[in-house]
Amino acid sequence: MSEYSIVNLHQSCLIQLPTNLTEAEANNYQELINQLYKKDVANKRIVFDFSQTEYIDSKSISVLLSIVKTAKKEQVDITFWSVCHQVELQLSSASPELIYNIEAGTEFLAMNSQPSKNFIQEITPIIQAIATRLDWKNLWSEKVQASADFHE
Amino acid sequence: MILVTVGTEKFPFDRLMRWIDALIRQGFLQLEQEDIVIQCGTCNFLPGGVKAYSLLPEEQFRTLINQSRLIIGHCGEGTINILEEISKPYILVPRSYRFKEHVDDHQVELAEVLRQIGIPIAWSPGDLVRFLASPRHVPYSVAPGSKMTSLCQLLEERFGQINS
């Protein structure tokens, strides 16, 4: 869980969920939320960022439901952002009430974390030109430095 | 003050407007503490409580940039050309053909190229929040450097200007 970011800004907290949310990780998040509730200045809003989440198992959904119910008792708002269609279907089939926590208007662009080796050749020519100039700048800087080192 | 700019494309960028609205509603942006100014272009949706201008004269736009604490911009070449001249933190949000925000995905491709050199790119509203919590400026330039400018001047002196 620690590899994913938790951001506190003003009195709101953003928690990014992992690509595959399994029961063990969901329990870790529940423990994290419980610790947040114990703080003197509690977050009034907690947002779960699903932009990286592609799969969630049924046990995790149960844990999420428990988190949402506890949040209501603690008067904390729980919201889900950027839920992809597949995860939304999983949520709606297992616990339809969780759908109401999904905030509309938070659609995201899913990007591969590692671009393909042929990425530069596959993209629009004008973008290729920009990318090439960026590489040229770096190569030129290396050559200038190498020349300076030679003359010293 | 936070400046949000979506350029002058004929396509609306309502997705970014809804992200800003979500950030305001969830408390990540506090209107009582900081103004949010939006150059909204042809957007059909605007977050509540912000100052919005469809288009701005360049001088006024540059004034707003100078006054801003950070900038959230679409990933257009014109915007990038202006932002690369300044030292304010900024993050770029690419328009997507999938959401009918542009004619193709060239902004997405450009964003991926810029991401690889460390320019902050927001693929989701969560990325905006993470940037707001830790804004940073990454200097770069896609324009030819001073050495290329010197080469151009040399070529002009040798061969004359093209139009002459």
Side-chain angles (χ1 to χ4, degrees), chain A residues 17 21-31 33-34 48 50 55-71 78 80 87 90-98 101:
Chain A
L17 297 179
L21 186 57
T22 59
E23 181 184 6
E25 296 213 6
N27 287 331
N28 286 336
Y29 284 111
Q30 181 160 41
E31 180 58 31
I33 300 294
N34 291 338
F48 283 110
F50 281 78
Y55 173 78
I56 177 170
D57 66 12
S58 56
K59 296 286 187 182
S60 300
I61 293 175
S62 300
V63 172
L64 273 180
L65 190 58
S66 172
I67 289 174
V68 169
K69 287 181 178 176
T70 305
I78 296 276
F80 300 163
V87 171
Q90 289 174 294
L91 291 175
S92 64
S93 64
S95 292
E97 57 268 46
L98 286 177
N101 291 83

Side-chain angles (χ1 to χ4, degrees), chain A residues 5 7 9-10 12 14 16 45 49 79 81-82 103 105 107-109 111 115 119 123-124 130 133 140, chain B residues 18-19 22-23 25-28 30 33 96 98 106 109 112 115-116 123-126 130 133 142 147:
Chain A
S5 67
V7 173
L9 193 57
H10 305 298
S12 302
L14 179 80
Q16 186 173 37
R45 295 186 186 87
D49 179 5
T79 306
W81 275 5
S82 307
E103 182 156 6
E107 294 85 1
F108 66 103
L109 280 180
M111 290 298 297
F119 172 72
I123 59 177
T124 310
I130 295 173
R133 289 209 297 274
W140 182 265
Chain B
R18 295 189 190 280
W19 286 8
L23 265 64
R25 281 190 278 115
Q26 295 301 330
F28 296 112
Q30 305 259 312
Q33 293 183 10
S96 165
R98 173 188 161 197
H106 73 275
E109 294 170 354
E112 179 56 31
R115 182 194 69 81
Q116 294 181 40
W123 305 106
S124 69
R130 284 179 280 274
V142 295
K147 290 179 171 35

